[in-house]
Amino acid sequence: MSGPHPSVALTRLAVRTALQRTFSSDAAGERRVVAGVSGGADSMALAAALAFEAPKQGVAVDVVIVDRGLQAGSADVAERARRACVDQLGFADDDVRTVAVIVDADAPEGLEAAARAARRRALFDVADAVGAARAVLAHTADDQAEQVLLGLMRGSGTRALAGMRADRARLLRPFLLGPEIVPGGPVRRVDTELACEALGLEPWHDPHNDDPAFSRVRARHTLAALERELAAPTLRRSLFRTAAAAGRDADLLDRLTDEALARSAGTDDSRAWPATWSVVALAGLDPALRIRALRRLLVLHGARDAELSSGHLFDVERLLVAWSGQGPIDVPGSVEVRRVGGEMTISPRRKGE
């Protein structure tokens, strides 16, 4: 008897491995996850793999279909995805829910980022309500390559080049597990499409995925053009490897940064880290740690992480190492940074300025 299609087998192996890794370390918690499903090929392949593997691992799955209302007929798309999860994949009707969210099209961070944030909030709300250990997402190696390219275009450091992580901040992305963990991994977009075809699933194609108004779509088209023009068919896989290497470096530097800040603040509890810091303490850090420390403190005290650019961070850094009386520095999130003598303070932006 022949086994499943290779792409089906790969998606199942990635999910099985991710669940085993998650619940071997979280053995004391409830064995439950929520899965974000949009109806597209990636998320339907994820739902199918979870339906097959999770019961074998004793893991309960709550499927969450987030209707962001960004296109006409989005409710119909959500219902179609829900029916496929119940009728074709075998999820219990009570375990599949649709959550409608409102996305602010005029959000300062842009529609793409606002939509991602709205979906994440919805998933975490359900995860908190049912006691799930993780929210599972279907990002593939192609998504990771696009993320790395966008980071390169912004001139970002290793933190951004690390892209999305397979397991970080309660978000589990099984398809991003690399070949050192999942033989044949990571899962690519072509794998999810072939898996859906082999399983008789008919995924929805989001028209936003073809709209060049969105930066991720432009990155996707740019990658395809580079692969053709440079005769580099493995470019996306190379960018995936770059993200993995950058992630290891970023983890170490972030840990060293937190240790340095904890020593200066006198506590490991970042919630107790002050908004006012000695210039000497911050300026004395190695430059690789200093720029990370500034981002860490800015976000901790109200700056919007997704909108902080290298330009913002360099301007704030100049308050420490090249101060000539300049300031304050405005950063996204209605936050300003001032230097007064030997101290740097992060505070809400003053009204009227």
Side-chain angles (χ1 to χ4, degrees):
M1 180 182 294
S2 62
H5 185 282
S7 291
V8 174
L10 178 59
T11 59
R12 290 176 177 175
L13 177 59
V15 164
R16 182 191 320 146
T17 304
L19 294 178
Q20 289 172 342
R21 288 163 61 90
T22 296
F23 290 103
S24 63
S25 60
D26 291 350
E30 184 172 358
R31 300 175 70 86
R32 179 177 292 271
V33 298
V34 299
V37 175
S38 67
D42 296 345
S43 65
M44 290 306 297
L46 173 68
L50 281 167
F52 187 84
E53 293 291 344
K56 298 180 179 181
Q57 303 295 326
V59 176
V61 179
D62 291 87
V63 175
V64 181
I65 300 165
V66 180
D67 177 8
R68 294 178 285 191
L70 297 178
Q71 295 107 4
S74 63
D76 293 335
V77 172
E79 176 59 18
R80 176 179 167 185
R82 195 185 74 82
R83 291 303 342 154
C85 288
V86 173
D87 297 342
Q88 294 180 263
L89 300 181
F91 286 100
D93 197 69
D94 290 344
D95 292 336
V96 182
R97 69 189 75 190
T98 300
V99 178
V101 299
I102 297 175
V103 178
D104 182 4
D106 299 318
E109 64 268 29
L111 181 60
E112 286 178 284
R116 284 194 299 271
R119 179 181 67 166
R120 184 172 300 188
R121 285 194 300 270
L123 290 174
F124 282 153
D125 284 346
V126 175
D128 290 340
V130 302
R134 298 287 192 280
V136 190
L137 299 176
H139 292 112
T140 67
D142 298 80
D143 295 309
Q144 185 75 301
E146 292 156 13
Q147 187 80 2
V148 174
L149 179 59
L150 290 170
L152 287 168
M153 292 165 61
R154 289 192 296 265
S156 303
T158 54
R159 187 173 182 274
L161 295 184
M164 299 171 287
R165 314 306 291 276
D167 189 1
R168 177 65 61 87
R170 294 180 65 198
L171 290 173
L172 185 63
R173 299 179 174 95
F175 294 166
L176 294 187
L177 291 173
E180 72 283 2
I181 299 172
V182 174
V187 174
R188 302 164 299 161
R189 190 169 292 138
V190 66
D191 292 313
T192 64
E193 293 170 349
L194 288 172
C196 286
E197 181 179 349
L199 294 170
L201 298 171
E202 296 182 6
W204 173 64
H205 180 77
D206 186 350
H208 280 174
N209 289 335
D210 299 319
D211 188 346
F214 297 104
S215 58
R216 186 167 292 278
V217 174
R218 296 195 298 274
R220 186 172 303 153
H221 291 169
T222 299
L223 278 173
L226 286 172
E227 287 174 336
R228 290 193 303 271
E229 294 171 11
L230 299 178
T234 62
L235 176 59
R236 296 178 210 218
R237 191 169 290 273
S238 296
L239 289 174
F240 182 90
R241 290 196 297 268
T242 295
R248 291 190 291 269
D249 294 348
D251 286 346
L252 172 60
L253 290 170
D254 286 346
R255 186 168 66 252
L256 294 175
T257 298
D258 275 11
E259 290 173 357
L261 290 172
R263 285 194 298 271
S264 293
T267 175
D268 292 334
D269 185 356
S270 62
R271 294 170 297 181
W273 291 351
T276 298
W277 288 75
S278 160
V279 167
V280 171
L282 295 179
L285 294 174
D286 183 275
L289 303 186
R290 185 167 61 226
I291 204 74
R292 284 174 168 77
L294 291 175
R295 176 183 284 276
R296 185 84 161 89
L297 294 175
L298 288 171
V299 172
L300 182 65
H301 292 289
R304 287 194 291 265
D305 193 8
E307 296 176 55
L308 275 177
S309 68
S310 57
H312 294 125
L313 295 172
F314 291 150
D315 285 344
V316 174
E317 186 180 34
R318 285 177 59 81
L319 294 179
L320 302 174
V321 300
W323 189 51
S324 57
Q326 76 272 24
I329 305 299
D330 290 337
V331 297
S334 295
V335 170
E336 66 179 21
V337 188
R338 292 175 181 264
R339 174 171 173 174
V340 178
E343 293 185 329
M344 185 196 79
T345 299
I346 306 165
S347 61
R349 189 173 304 147
R350 298 181 183 182
K351 293 182 180 180
E353 294 189 5

